[in-house]
């Protein structure tokens, strides 16, 4: 009994925070993310359901990203509560594992659907004129359901066993569930990021080769891929780097360094929650009518008119400039002859 109590106390000690000020700041940031993310994602859900009717308007994949973001927003109050109590994770094992399960599911779903959208733009640009199987797949609600189901086996290891702070790798030897969870964590970030970099480079290269008349559509495709790459760079990559550093110092048993790296890791995890605020940027680039529909419903009338007027002025200026260029080029050729 004494040994079990000692082990439990040791596990709980690792769940406690080492710097209350740091976690008070983090809880304030998460509160801000929740206060901004909840109305934002509710309003986006309204647009996709009642204005777009996403099941009819080729917006199934975008709706799945919104659903994943909503799962994340729902978890944020629990994180604030734990940080305010001076705990990195909930001391209740089932609550701890349920939270980690939801976060893993959200991250996996967001990454999967964002990468598929980027691949769709890649095939549209680089292999223009050929059959785009990704576009065919992304229109199907059944395919979206299959992707969610495929994510479950990768997320289940978070529920397999009781582990301290849902974060025990490096403390328990030869634990397959912990090792598998770490492999999933890193592979679901690093592999998609490599794919995104490849798609971005190829689209930019293709854009440079295209004529002026085709560049508008290609720029929008490039904006989609670049926006997704920015979300990865800001939200997911820093967290993966900090996770690798945490595992390294833990395996080396550098306790003082671990106390610092844990705070950095938790701070970057909080930063990763920003994807629920940045994803609407992708919707604007992916769906030409999203921004207009959102402004029509939620933007005040006087501000909406000003934005419309500014867009019209910009479009007219761009069109006039393009026309002047196309008319002046033949004149230059004649003078040279």
């Amino acid at each position: 009994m004494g040994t079990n109590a000692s082990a439990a106390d040791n596990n709980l000690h690792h769940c406690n925070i080492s710097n209350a000020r740091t976690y008070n700041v983090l809880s304030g940031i998460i509160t801000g993310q929740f206060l901004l993310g909840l109305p934002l994602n509710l309003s986006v859900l309204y647009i996709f359901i009642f204005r777009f009717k996403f099941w009819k308007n080729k917006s199934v994949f975008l709706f799945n990203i919104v659903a994943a973001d909503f799962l994340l927003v729902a978890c944020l109050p629990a994180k604030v509560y734990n940080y305010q109590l001076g705990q990195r994770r909930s001391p209740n094992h089932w609550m701890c594992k349920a939270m980690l399960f939801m976060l893993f599911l959200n991250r996996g779903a967001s990454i999967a659907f964002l990468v598929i959208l980027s691949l769709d733009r890649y095939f549209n640009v680089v292999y223009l004129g050929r059959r785009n199987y990704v576009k065919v797949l992304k229109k199907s609600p059944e395919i979206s359901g299959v992707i969610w189901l495929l994510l479950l086996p990768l997320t289940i290891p978070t529920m397999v066993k009781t582990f301290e702070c849902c974060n025990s790798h490096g403390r328990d030897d030869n634990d397959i569930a912990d090792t598998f969870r770490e492999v999933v964590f890193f592979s679901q970030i690093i592999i998609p990021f490599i794919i995104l970099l490849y798609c971005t480079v190829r689209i930019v290269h293709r854009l440079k080769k295209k004529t002026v008349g085709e560049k508008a559509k290609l720029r929008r495709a490039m904006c989609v891929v670049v926006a997704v790459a920015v979300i990865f760079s800001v939200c997911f990559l820093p967290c993966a780097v900090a996770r690798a550093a945490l595992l390294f110092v833990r395996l080396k048993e550098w306790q003082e360094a671990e106390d610092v790296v844990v705070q950095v890791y938790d701070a970057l995890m909080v930063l990763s929650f920003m994807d629920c605020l940045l994803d609407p940027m992708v919707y604007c680039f992916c769906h030409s009518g999203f921004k207009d529909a959102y402004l029509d419903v939620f933007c005040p009338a006087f501000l909406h008119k000003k934005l419309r007027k500014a867009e019209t002025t910009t479009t007219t200026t761009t069109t006039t400039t393009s026309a002047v260029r196309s008319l002046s080029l033949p004149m230059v050729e004649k003078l040279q002859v």
Side-chain angles (χ1 to χ4, degrees), residues 40 43-44 47-48 51-52 57 59 62 220 223 279-300 303-312 314-315:
L40 176 62
S43 61
V44 171
I47 294 296
F48 277 105
R51 291 295 298 268
F52 281 174
N57 200 24
S59 303
L62 293 179
R220 202 171 81 176
C223 286
D279 283 340
M281 174 175 62
V282 177
Y283 312 149
C284 291
F285 292 131
C286 281
H287 200 298
S288 57
F290 174 80
K291 184 175 70 173
D292 292 335
Y294 195 91
L295 292 175
D296 285 340
V297 176
F298 297 107
C299 187
L303 184 58
H304 191 196
K305 288 180 180 178
K306 288 184 179 180
L307 290 172
R308 287 281 194 182
K309 187 176 180 180
E311 286 181 359
T312 304
T314 304
T315 304

Side-chain angles (χ1 to χ4, degrees), residues 19-302:
N19 189 330
R21 183 177 298 177
T22 299
Y23 287 86
N24 283 333
V25 172
L26 293 180
S27 65
I29 294 172
I30 298 174
T31 301
Q33 291 171 336
F34 177 76
L35 294 177
L36 293 173
L38 183 63
L40 176 62
N41 284 277
L42 283 174
S43 61
V44 171
L45 277 174
Y46 176 87
I47 294 296
F48 277 105
I49 294 173
F50 297 104
R51 291 295 298 268
F52 281 174
K53 301 189 186 302
F54 68 92
W55 58 93
K56 298 179 180 179
N57 200 24
K58 303 177 184 178
S59 303
V60 175
F61 265 44
L62 293 179
F63 177 79
N64 280 276
I65 299 174
V66 181
D69 288 342
F70 198 76
L71 288 177
L72 171 62
V73 172
C75 296
L76 296 184
K79 296 290 290 183
V80 174
Y81 177 75
N82 291 329
Y83 282 175
Q84 288 293 321
L85 290 180
Q87 298 163 344
R88 295 181 59 231
R89 305 286 188 271
S90 171
N92 182 295
H93 291 303
W94 285 108
M95 179 64 70
C96 178
K97 289 186 285 186
M99 279 286 296
L100 195 60
F101 177 84
M102 293 289 284
L103 293 175
F104 261 69
L105 188 63
N106 159 263
R107 177 177 283 110
S110 294
I111 290 173
F113 290 111
L114 286 172
V115 168
I116 290 173
L117 286 174
S118 300
L119 286 172
D120 173 53
R121 293 303 186 272
Y122 165 75
F123 284 112
N124 275 346
V125 171
V126 178
Y127 297 102
L128 185 63
R130 301 183 188 179
R131 184 174 179 81
N132 184 353
Y133 291 100
V134 178
K135 178 174 286 188
V136 175
L137 293 176
K138 77 170 191 173
K139 294 178 182 178
S140 170
E142 291 79 8
I143 297 300
S144 298
V146 169
I147 291 174
W148 282 98
L149 290 175
L150 290 175
L151 289 170
L152 289 178
L154 301 178
T155 314
I156 289 298
T158 61
M159 307 291 288
V160 169
K161 63 184 285 291
T162 298
F163 40 83
E164 60 172 300
C165 295
C166 301
N167 191 11
S168 63
H169 194 81
R171 303 193 198 281
D172 298 333
D173 295 329
N174 300 321
D175 188 270
I176 297 175
D178 287 341
T179 302
F180 182 66
R181 187 173 61 252
E182 301 299 338
V183 170
V184 170
F185 180 88
F186 288 106
S187 60
Q188 75 174 4
I189 294 175
I190 294 172
I191 295 174
F193 188 69
I194 293 172
I195 294 172
L196 283 173
L197 284 180
Y198 177 78
C199 292
T200 304
V201 171
R202 289 296 304 274
I203 289 176
V204 171
H205 180 69
R206 189 75 171 180
L207 182 62
K208 291 179 180 178
K209 289 185 173 182
K210 287 292 182 179
T211 61
V212 176
E214 297 171 307
K215 282 193 173 183
K217 184 178 180 181
L218 294 178
R219 281 200 184 96
R220 202 171 81 176
M222 185 183 70
C223 286
V224 172
V225 181
V226 169
V228 175
V230 167
I231 291 173
F232 264 77
S233 300
V234 172
C235 299
F236 302 132
L237 274 183
C239 184
V241 173
R243 181 68 181 172
L246 175 58
L247 293 178
F248 177 77
V249 298
R250 179 173 293 170
L251 292 170
K252 291 291 185 179
E253 297 183 355
W254 297 340
Q255 187 57 51
E256 291 185 4
E258 182 178 340
D259 291 340
V260 175
V261 176
V262 160
Q263 294 179 57
V264 175
Y265 172 69
D266 286 341
L268 292 175
M269 278 293 291
V270 171
L271 180 65
S272 73
F273 301 156
M274 288 293 294
D275 71 316
C276 68
L277 301 177
L278 296 177
D279 283 340
M281 174 175 62
V282 177
Y283 312 149
C284 291
F285 292 131
C286 281
H287 200 298
S288 57
F290 174 80
K291 184 175 70 173
D292 292 335
Y294 195 91
L295 292 175
D296 285 340
V297 176
F298 297 107
C299 187
F302 72 94

